[in-house]
C-alpha cells in the first residue's frame, strides 16, 4: 500500500489557508492512485508530528506544499515527522534541485519518501502559465502580454528568490509571452513598480504563493496600486499607469497544482498508473479547485 | 451485500488456515474433516455437508466472522476502533473500560443500535436489515442525541466533516479540532466502517491512532520540556517558560472545558502538572501547535519583571475586574444580557468603569511605585 501526505503550513487564524491543500488532496483522492491521502500541517491537524501514525500504508510519499527549499522543508518538516538520519545535504540541492530522499520514520515502521517542495518542480512552470490562462480567460494568452512572477525576496529565505527566477527563466525560454520578469516584495526589482518593468500594455501578475492570504490579498494588490484599500477589492484587469494589470492571486489555488503533487511522488517512485493524465484532464483550464478567482476576495 | 452461501464457502476456505473470532473456531484437520467450536459446543470430524449444516445453524457467528473478515486490517487502529464501537471483545488491548459483548448479546444490541461517544461525536452502530451481518454507522453530534434524523442536515461524504468542523456554531474559526465547540445539527445517516473511521479522523485527526497506541500500552508521550526544547526559530524561546507557568498554561488550554483530548503529557517524566488532564477517551501525547504558539506569547510576557502599582478602586470595582476576567475566560460575554447591570461583565458596566478609571491615554490610571 502507498500513501500520499501533503505537508502544508496551515493557520491558527485564517481558515482559508488550508483550502488549497484540501482541494489538491481531494483531486489526488479522486484518481485513486494512492490507498491513502492525508493532509498534514504545522498549524492545523493532523500535525506533521502525528500524521504518519494515522496511515496503514508502509510506503509513504511526503510532498511539502511549500514554494521553496528552506527552514520548513529542511528543518521543521523532517524533524516533526521524525525522519531518522535526515540531513539537508541528502537532497544535494543548490536551492531548487531537491527531488526526494528515502528514510525511515522514527515513530512507525514505515518507509518515507521525503520529496522536494512543489514550488521548485518543473511542472510548477506549467501551473504558473495555466494560472495566467485562467485569470485572462484565454487559453492562448501570451502574445502582446507580459508576465510577472512574484515572490518574497531573499529577506526571509534566499532560495525563495531562486525559485521565482527559475520559473521566470523557464517561461521566458518558451517564447510565449512578450516579456517575463521575476519581481519581489522585499527587494529589487520590486512588485510595487510593476509597470516600470513592462512595455506590454497587458501584464499578468502571478504570485508564487501556495495559498491566498495577507500577502497576496492585501499587500501586493495595494502595493501595485490595484486598489487603495484591499477591503474594497479590485477589478481584473485594473488599469495602472497605462497598463492593464491582470492580477491572478496565489498560484497555489490553481487546480493543476495537484499534478505537481503527483509528479513529485512519481519522481520518488510512486506507482501512479494513469493518474497524471486524469488529473491534467480534471484540472485543465480550471481553477475551481480552491477559489472562485478571478473575483477578488476582500481580505481574509 | 453478502450471499450466505458464499459466506460459508469463504469461511470454509479460510478454515484451512484456521478461523478464530469472537467464540467461533473452525479448523480443517489433516484428514480433511473440520473441527467446529462455539461457546456452547465442540464437534470434531465433521465432513463437508455436516460442517455446512452445523454452520447454517449458527448464522450470527458466521456473519459476524464475514463482517470482520471484510473489515480486515488485523492489528490496525481502524479495526480496533470499529470493534470498540460495537463493544466487541478487544483482541489486543490492555484496558477495558466496560464489559465487552459476546456475539449473541451484541447482535441483539445492534438491532437497537449500539451507541458510543467520541468527544462530541455520537456513533450508533447497527445491523443492516437482511444484510448478513453487515454493519452501518450513524454519526451525529452528542447534543442531537434526541433529535429526529429528518430534522438534521444530511451528510454523505466523510470529507464533509472537514467543513463541519471548521467553524463553530457562531461561525468562528476553530483552530483546535478537539475544542468542545463542534457545531451540531447534522447527521451522517449511513456510513460504512471505513467511512466512519474517515469521518471521525476528519473531525478529530489522529485521535484513533493515539487511542489505539494507548490501549496497546505504546503511547509515546512527549512531555513539555522535550517538546519545548525541540523547537527552533521563533518558538525557540518556549523552554524558558517558568515551571509554574506551564501549570497555568495547561489550566488555560488543556482542561476538558477547552479541549477534549485527555492531556497525558506532564512537565517532564516524574514531574506532573497541577491541573486535571481530563476524562475523554482519546489522549493528547504532546503539546499541540496551538499551545506551542501560545507558550511563545507567555514566555515573552513572563520575561517581564513584576512591579507594584498604585491605583484607586472601590471594593466593588476591584471585584468587577475579577468578574470581567472570569467572563472572558469562560467565554460568557455573549450570554450577558444587555440590561443585566448586576453582572460586572455587562457591557454598560464595563463602559462605565472605563469612563471613570481610564486616563487620557486609554489605560488604567496607575502610578508605578519605585
Ligand atoms: S496540548 Fe492541550 S489544548 Fe492542545 S490538544 Fe493537547 S490537551 Fe488539547
Amino acid at each position: 500500500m502507498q500513501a500520499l501526505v501533503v505537508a502544508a503550513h496551515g493557520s491558527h487564524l485564517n481558515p482559508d489557508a488550508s483550502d488549497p491543500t484540501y482541494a489538491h488532496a481531494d483531486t489526488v483522492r479522486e484518481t485513486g492512485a494512492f490507498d491513502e491521502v492525508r493532509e498534514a500541517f504545522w498549524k492545523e491537524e493532523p500535525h506533521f508530528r502525528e500524521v504518519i501514525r494515522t496511515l496503514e500504508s508502509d510506503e509513504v510519499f511526503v510532498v511539502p506544499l511549500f514554494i521553496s527549499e528552506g527552514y520548513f522543508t529542511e528543518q521543521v518538516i523532517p524533524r516533526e515527522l521524525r525522519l531518522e538520519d535526515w540531513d539537508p545535504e541528502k537532497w544535494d540541492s543548490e536551492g531548487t534541485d531537491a527531488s526526494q530522499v528515502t528514510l525511515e520514520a522514527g515513530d512507525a515502521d514505515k518507509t518515507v519518501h521525503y520529496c522536494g517542495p512543489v514550488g521548485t518542480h518543473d511542472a510548477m512552470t506549467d501551473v504558473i502559465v495555466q494560472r495566467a490562462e485562467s485569470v485572462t480567460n484565454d487559453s492562448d494568452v501570451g502574445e502582446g502580454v507580459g508576465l510577472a512572477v512574484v515572490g518574497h525576496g531573499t529577506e526571509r529565505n534566499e532560495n525563495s528568490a531562486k525559485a521565482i527566477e527559475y520559473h521566470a527563466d523557464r517561461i521566458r525560454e518558451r517564447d510565449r509571452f512578450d516579456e517575463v520578469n521575476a519581481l519581489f516584495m522585499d527587494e529589487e526589482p520590486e512588485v510595487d513598480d510593476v509597470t516600470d518593468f513592462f512595455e506590454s500594455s497587458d501584464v499578468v501578475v502571478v504570485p508564487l504563493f501556495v495559498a491566498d492570504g495577507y500577502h497576496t490579498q492585501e499587500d501586493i494588490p495595494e502595493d501595485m496600486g490595484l486598489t487603495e484599500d484591499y477591503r474594497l477589492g479590485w477589478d481584473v484587469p485594473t488599469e495602472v499607469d497605462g497598463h492593464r494589470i491582470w492580477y491572478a492571486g496565489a498560484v497555489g489555488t490553481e487546480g493543476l497544482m495537484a499534478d505537481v503533487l503527483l509528479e513529485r511522488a512519481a519522481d520518488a517512485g510512486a506507482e501512479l498508473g494513469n493518474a497524471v493524465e486524469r488529473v491534467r484532464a480534471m484540472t485543465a483550464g480550471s481553477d475551481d479547485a480552491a477559489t472562485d478567482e478571478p473575483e477578488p476576495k476582500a481580505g481574509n | 451485500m453478502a450471499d450466505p452461501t458464499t459466506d460459508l464457502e469463504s469461511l470454509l476456505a479460510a478454515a484451512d488456515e484456521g478461523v478464530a473470532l469472537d467464540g467461533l473456531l473452525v479448523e480443517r484437520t489433516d484428514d480433511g474433516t473440520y473441527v467446529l467450536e462455539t461457546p456452547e459446543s465442540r464437534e470434531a470430524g465433521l465432513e463437508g455437508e455436516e460442517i455446512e449444516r452445523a454452520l447454517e445453524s449458527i448464522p450470527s457467528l458466521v456473519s459476524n466472522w464475514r463482517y470482520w473478515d471484510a473489515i480486515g486490517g488485523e492489528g490496525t487502529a481502524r479495526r480496533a476502533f470499529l470493534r470498540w464501537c460495537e463493544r466487541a471483545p478487544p483482541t489486543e488491548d490492555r484496558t477495558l473500560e466496560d464489559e465487552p459483548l459476546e456475539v449473541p448479546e451484541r447482535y441483539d444490541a445492534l438491532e437497537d443500535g449500539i451507541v458510543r461517544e467520541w468527544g462530541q461525536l455520537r456513533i450508533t452502530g447497527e445491523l443492516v436489515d437482511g444484510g448478513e451481518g453487515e454493519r452501518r454507522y450513524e454519526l451525529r453530534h452528542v447534543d442531537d442525541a434526541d433529535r429526529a434524523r429528518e430534522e438534521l442536515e444530511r451528510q454523505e461524504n466523510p470529507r464533509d466533516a472537514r467543513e463541519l468542523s471548521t467553524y463553530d456554531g457562531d461561525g468562528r474559526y476553530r483552530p483546535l479540532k478537539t475544542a468542545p465547540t463542534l457545531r451540531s445539527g447534522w447527521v451522517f445517516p449511513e456510513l460504512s466502517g471505513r467511512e466512519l473511521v474517515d469521518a471521525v479522523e476528519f473531525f478529530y485527526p489522529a485521535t484513533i491512532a493515539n487511542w489505539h497506541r494507548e490501549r496497546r500500552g505504546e503511547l509515546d508521550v512527549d512531555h513539555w520540556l522535550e517538546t519545548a526544547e525541540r523547537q527552533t526559530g521563533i518558538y525557540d524561546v518556549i523552554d524558558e517558560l517558568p515551571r509554574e507557568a506551564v501549570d497555568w498554561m495547561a489550566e488555560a488550554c488543556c482542561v476538558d472545558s477547552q479541549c477534549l483530548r485527555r492531556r497525558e503529557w506532564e512537565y517532564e517524566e516524574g514531574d506532573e502538572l497541577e491541573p486535571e488532564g481530563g476524562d475523554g477517551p482519546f489522549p493528547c501525547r504532546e503539546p499541540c501547535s496551538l499551545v506551542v504558539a501560545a507558550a511563545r506569547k507567555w514566555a515573552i510576557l513572563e520575561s517581564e519583571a513584576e512591579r507594584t502599582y498604585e491605583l484607586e478602586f472601590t471594593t466593588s470595582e476591584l471585584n468587577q475586574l475579577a468578574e470581567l476576567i472570569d467572563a472572558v475566560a469562560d467565554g460568557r460575554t455573549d450570554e450577558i444580557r444587555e440590561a443585566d447591570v448586576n453582572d460586572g461583565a455587562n457591557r454598560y458596566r464595563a463602559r462605565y468603569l472605563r469612563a471613570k478609571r481610564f486616563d487620557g491615554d486609554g489605560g488604567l490610571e496607575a502610578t508605578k511605585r519605585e
Side-chain angles (χ1 to χ4, degrees), chain A residues 4-11 18 21-22 25 29 37-52 54-55 60-66 77 80-81, chain B residues 202 205:
Chain A
L4 176 72
V5 171
V6 185
H9 191 283
S11 167
S18 49
T21 314
Y22 289 134
R29 283 188 177 98
V37 177
R38 286 275 188 291
E39 304 85 349
F41 302 95
W42 172 231
K43 297 280 187 165
E44 295 179 34
E45 298 167 69
H47 194 267
F48 298 149
R49 196 84 182 144
E50 313 225 303
V51 68
I52 301 289
T54 69
L55 299 167
V60 182
F61 296 84
V62 178
V63 181
L65 197 63
F66 283 79
I77 300 173
E80 299 293 294
L81 290 175
Chain B
F202 280 126

Side-chain angles (χ1 to χ4, degrees), chain B residues 176 253-254 259 261 265 284 287-288 291:
Chain B
L176 181 66
C253 306
C254 302
C259 175
R261 281 200 178 89
W265 56 268
C284 172
C288 66
V291 161

Side-chain angles (χ1 to χ4, degrees), chain A residues 45, chain B residues 176 178-179 249-250 252-255 258-265 277 283-292:
Chain A
E45 298 167 69
Chain B
L176 181 66
T178 44
M249 183 174 72
C253 306
C254 302
V255 295
Q258 306 301 306
C259 175
L260 299 170
R261 281 200 178 89
R262 169 171 32 84
R263 180 181 53 74
E264 289 295 325
W265 56 268
C284 172
R285 45 162 301 284
E286 74 171 44
C288 66
S289 73
L290 203 72
V291 161
V292 165

Side-chain angles (χ1 to χ4, degrees), chain A residues 2-298:
Chain A
Q2 60 177 13
L4 176 72
V5 171
V6 185
H9 191 283
S11 167
H12 289 149
L13 299 171
N14 173 8
D16 303 329
S18 49
D19 286 353
T21 314
Y22 289 134
H24 306 318
D26 284 349
T27 305
V28 175
R29 283 188 177 98
E30 298 296 333
T31 69
F34 291 88
D35 301 287
E36 297 168 290
V37 177
R38 286 275 188 291
E39 304 85 349
F41 302 95
W42 172 231
K43 297 280 187 165
E44 295 179 34
E45 298 167 69
H47 194 267
F48 298 149
R49 196 84 182 144
E50 313 225 303
V51 68
I52 301 289
R53 63 189 56 208
T54 69
L55 299 167
E56 289 182 18
S57 308
D58 35 21
E59 203 73 17
V60 182
F61 296 84
V62 178
V63 181
L65 197 63
F66 283 79
I67 287 303
S68 50
E69 294 171 28
Y71 177 60
F72 280 100
T73 59
E74 291 176 3
Q75 291 188 46
V76 175
I77 300 173
R79 178 189 78 213
E80 299 293 294
L81 290 175
R82 302 175 183 78
L83 296 183
E84 290 178 350
D85 303 322
W86 160 255
D87 181 340
E89 294 296 312
K90 292 196 173 170
W91 263 347
D92 189 21
S93 169
E94 298 292 322
T96 55
D97 322 315
S99 175
Q100 78 102 22
V101 52
T102 302
L103 301 156
E104 299 294 316
D107 63 329
D109 197 9
K110 294 184 194 304
T111 301
V112 175
H113 302 275
Y114 182 49
C115 302
V118 286
T120 55
H121 195 280
D122 283 358
M124 194 68 198
T125 309
D126 298 331
V127 184
I128 297 171
V129 172
Q130 183 149 319
R131 190 81 199 137
E133 293 174 9
S134 303
V135 72
T136 53
N137 207 5
D138 175 1
S139 56
D140 295 319
V141 64
E143 208 182 321
V145 175
L147 175 70
V149 185
V150 182
H152 275 294
T154 45
E155 203 165 274
R156 283 166 34 150
N157 167 6
E158 76 173 294
N159 288 336
S160 138
K162 283 189 193 166
I164 311 296
E165 275 158 2
Y166 181 72
H167 293 297
D169 289 347
R170 281 170 50 86
I171 298 172
R172 196 174 299 118
E173 281 162 20
R174 293 181 184 184
D175 251 348
R176 171 169 174 166
F177 292 86
D178 282 10
E179 306 165 85
V180 180
N181 285 307
L183 302 180
F184 302 97
M185 296 182 64
D186 57 18
E187 69 177 65
E188 294 286 321
E190 285 198 33
V191 66
D192 307 31
D193 313 317
V194 56
T195 50
D196 294 351
F197 300 106
F198 289 90
E199 297 191 346
S200 321
S201 56
D202 283 284
V203 180
V204 180
V205 178
V206 181
L208 198 60
F209 284 75
V210 287
D212 272 320
Y214 170 71
H215 291 305
T216 63
Q217 295 295 313
E218 301 178 22
D219 257 9
I220 300 177
E222 286 184 9
D223 289 352
M224 290 195 303
L226 297 184
T227 176
E228 288 282 298
D229 180 337
Y230 73 90
R231 281 166 298 199
L232 302 173
W234 54 88
D235 294 326
V236 181
T238 298
E239 185 94 20
V240 180
D241 300 335
H243 296 262
R244 292 203 301 167
I245 304 290
W246 302 77
Y247 181 60
V251 69
T253 57
E254 186 68 33
L256 189 61
M257 282 289 284
D259 174 55
V260 190
L261 294 173
L262 288 178
E263 303 276 354
R264 275 285 181 220
D267 293 348
E271 302 280 344
L272 298 181
N274 66 351
V276 169
E277 293 72 39
R278 290 192 54 199
V279 161
R280 288 197 188 143
M282 277 158 76
T283 59
S286 85
D287 60 344
D288 57 356
T291 67
D292 294 321
E293 290 280 348
E295 289 298 307
K297 284 189 289 185

Side-chain angles (χ1 to χ4, degrees), chain B residues 314-326:
Chain B
T314 65
T315 306
S316 296
E317 284 167 351
L318 189 65
N319 292 340
Q320 191 189 345
L321 272 191
E323 282 183 77
L324 279 164
I325 294 172
D326 266 341

